[in-house]
Amino acid sequence: MKRLAIVTSHPIQYYAPLFKLLAKSIDLKVFYTAGGGVNESQFESGFGREIKWDIPLLDGYEYEFVPNSAQNASTDNFNGIINPTLFSRINTFNPHALLVYGWAYKSHLKVLINFKGKIPVWFRGDSTLITNQTGIKKLLRNQFLKWVYKHVDIAFYVGTANKAYFLNAGMKIEQLRFAPHAVDNERFTADRRAEALSFRQSINLSKDDIMILFVGKLDENKQPDLLLNSFISLNLPHTHLIYVGDGPLKNELMVKAKAHERIHFLEFQNQNQMPIFYQASDLTCLPSKNETWGLAINEAMAGGNAILTSSNVGCAIDLVKEGRNGAIFQFDNSESLKSKLKLLTKNKEVLLEMGRQSKAIISSWNYEKQATAILNELDATN
């Protein structure tokens, strides 16, 4: 049986289902580099709190937590992950290929460099060319990225914008394999309508009212204030705005929204609860300044929502079909956002049909396609 080693920082709810699926067909071992252990929660800086996910992240595959000797262990900076024993542990497993998630940690970059030319080195990341860098900084970064990706044999790209990034970084088209970004579609499509209806009733939404949902960290990058200001300015009839999440802007947003009874705030909700809020909603909006992908959009589409994103959201080009399942507004442009909001909330029946179209579109963005791309590549190794 072929052996695949995966190097990634810590257990993540979006990766675990793929690992479990791969382990059914191959000898898989995942090396978690951030340290910690099985029963530890994770500190999420964007939420400002410890998060312990309520779905299993370590079931169904073999894994190992590699000791992290970094002085200030963290997944937020390059020097936050240093694993002196990682090479030896990978060598002991003796894989036919090595898949590394992200290079922006010292250990991960050293793995790419060390194993290049010894076994096939593969890479997974979702970066895009959406960036605020210009001039010499952009030029220097591009040169550095070309050096990094010289140590990668195959990259599994998540979508169109990510593919363009890899090509810009010097990789050749024959080195790229499409492995779509995905969430557990089945969990988000499973019928939670009774609980969704109960939630809508708890905030006094009628059957005909429209619910707009924002999910994620309430920080400057995701621009929840741009959405709030636009919503207040429009004063849309029979329309409510719901924020689900925490972050540094929350208090400021709540103060601004205090006089508006159709704006609601909920704290961070764990994975088993999120399908309820998507199924209670009609339209999910992600107005980010810079979003490499935006997996909340996958979740919202599986939950049957129409979608509105900024033009700087990486998934928009692939998942948002203008006029079919939603719209894209011009990045950081409140007038463009207001125009699209007004158009999308004009007719609830049209919005519901867009939600049905979202479900159809997202059904092919799944873990099975991810796994097939990786397994096909592993089959081709010696």
Side-chain angles (χ1 to χ4, degrees):
M1 184 180 285
K2 291 287 182 75
R3 294 180 300 280
L4 175 64
I6 292 180
V7 173
T8 189
S9 58
H10 60 286
I12 294 174
Q13 72 273 25
Y14 297 121
Y15 298 166
L18 172 69
F19 299 162
K20 187 174 181 178
L21 189 58
L22 288 171
K24 293 178 180 179
S25 302
I26 60 174
D27 189 358
L28 176 75
K29 188 164 188 179
V30 178
F31 295 87
Y32 287 116
T33 58
V38 175
N39 297 315
E40 292 193 12
S41 58
Q42 301 159 14
F43 182 78
E44 293 285 344
S45 57
F47 289 123
R49 58 180 287 185
E50 293 282 329
I51 300 295
K52 189 173 180 63
W53 299 107
D54 63 357
I55 57 173
L57 302 184
L58 297 168
D59 288 0
Y61 64 93
E62 190 177 352
Y63 59 89
E64 185 175 334
F65 286 93
V66 184
N68 181 7
S69 65
Q71 187 171 359
N72 296 303
S74 170
T75 58
D76 291 334
N77 64 80
F78 182 77
N79 290 309
I81 295 182
I82 300 173
N83 311 106
T85 64
L86 182 56
F87 292 177
S88 63
R89 289 165 187 254
I90 293 172
N91 283 326
T92 298
F93 181 59
N94 192 26
H96 291 90
L98 173 65
L99 173 58
V100 179
Y101 279 67
W103 59 261
Y105 303 118
K106 182 175 280 189
S107 268
H108 291 210
L109 186 55
K110 288 177 73 173
V111 163
L112 294 178
I113 295 167
N114 179 75
F115 285 95
K116 172 65 174 175
K118 298 175 183 176
I119 58 173
V121 175
W122 304 340
F123 186 82
R124 178 75 165 173
D126 61 7
S127 295
T128 71
L129 297 174
I130 300 170
T131 176
N132 295 323
Q133 287 183 331
T134 58
I136 189 67
K137 282 188 176 181
K138 183 175 182 180
L139 180 64
L140 290 172
R141 180 172 174 80
N142 284 345
Q143 291 305 311
F144 174 70
L145 289 176
K146 286 179 180 179
W147 175 79
V148 169
Y149 289 112
K150 281 183 180 179
H151 301 95
V152 173
D153 297 304
I154 297 292
F156 295 96
Y157 69 91
V158 306
T160 301
N162 183 221
K163 181 181 182 182
Y165 164 87
F166 284 127
L167 291 172
N168 186 71
M171 298 201 73
K172 295 180 169 48
I173 192 71
E174 57 266 26
Q175 293 179 279
L176 304 182
R177 307 286 185 271
F178 178 48
H181 240 332
V183 300
D184 187 352
N185 287 340
E186 289 186 5
R187 183 156 55 83
F188 289 97
T189 57
D191 189 357
R192 306 289 293 273
R193 285 176 296 178
E195 293 159 285
L197 177 60
S198 178
F199 170 70
R200 285 178 65 95
Q201 291 172 341
S202 73
I203 57 172
N204 298 317
L205 266 73
S206 75
K207 179 174 68 72
D208 297 322
D209 286 339
I210 290 171
M211 177 170 154
I212 302 170
L213 179 66
F214 175 101
V215 175
K217 297 170 184 174
L218 300 174
D219 60 21
E220 288 187 4
N221 181 57
K222 291 189 182 289
Q223 298 197 117
D225 51 338
L226 181 67
L227 176 58
L228 181 69
N229 293 337
S230 298
F231 182 82
I232 291 173
S233 173
L234 286 171
N235 193 27
L236 299 165
H238 309 292
T239 305
H240 291 239
L241 174 60
I242 318 293
Y243 285 93
V244 175
D246 292 302
L249 295 182
K250 187 166 189 176
N251 288 340
E252 177 186 326
L253 295 169
M254 291 181 72
V255 168
K256 193 177 290 187
K258 192 172 183 180
H260 302 273
E261 62 180 17
R262 289 187 284 114
I263 302 173
H264 314 268
F265 290 86
L266 301 177
E267 63 182 14
F268 166 85
Q269 300 291 316
N270 222 315
Q271 288 292 290
N272 274 321
Q273 294 299 109
M274 279 311 304
I276 298 170
F277 299 102
Y278 287 121
Q279 292 184 29
S281 303
D282 303 292
L283 172 67
T284 288
C285 181
L286 185 58
S288 302
K289 287 181 182 178
N290 185 348
E291 194 84 38
T292 55
W293 182 260
L295 282 163
I297 298 303
N298 293 60
E299 296 174 349
M301 290 174 67
N305 281 203
I307 303 298
L308 177 59
T309 76
S310 86
S311 55
N312 273 19
V313 172
C315 72
I317 190 171
D318 292 301
L319 299 185
V320 183
K321 312 299 180 184
E322 196 83 29
R324 179 182 168 194
N325 76 314
I328 302 168
F329 72 91
Q330 184 57 41
F331 151 70
D332 213 18
N333 185 323
S334 61
E335 291 306 313
S336 178
L337 173 55
K338 284 190 283 188
S339 173
K340 300 291 185 176
L341 272 175
K342 193 172 182 180
L343 178 66
L344 288 171
T345 57
K346 193 175 181 180
N347 186 314
K348 170 129 180 176
E349 289 304 313
V350 172
L351 204 55
L352 292 174
E353 176 55 30
M354 285 184 171
R356 288 188 282 270
Q357 291 297 319
S358 281
K359 270 191 173 184
I361 293 166
I362 207 63
S363 64
S364 62
W365 292 73
N366 55 55
Y367 289 120
E368 288 75 16
K369 284 193 175 180
Q370 266 192 49
T372 297
I374 293 168
L375 293 174
N376 285 345
E377 201 59 38
L378 192 61
D379 283 343
T381 61
N382 295 322

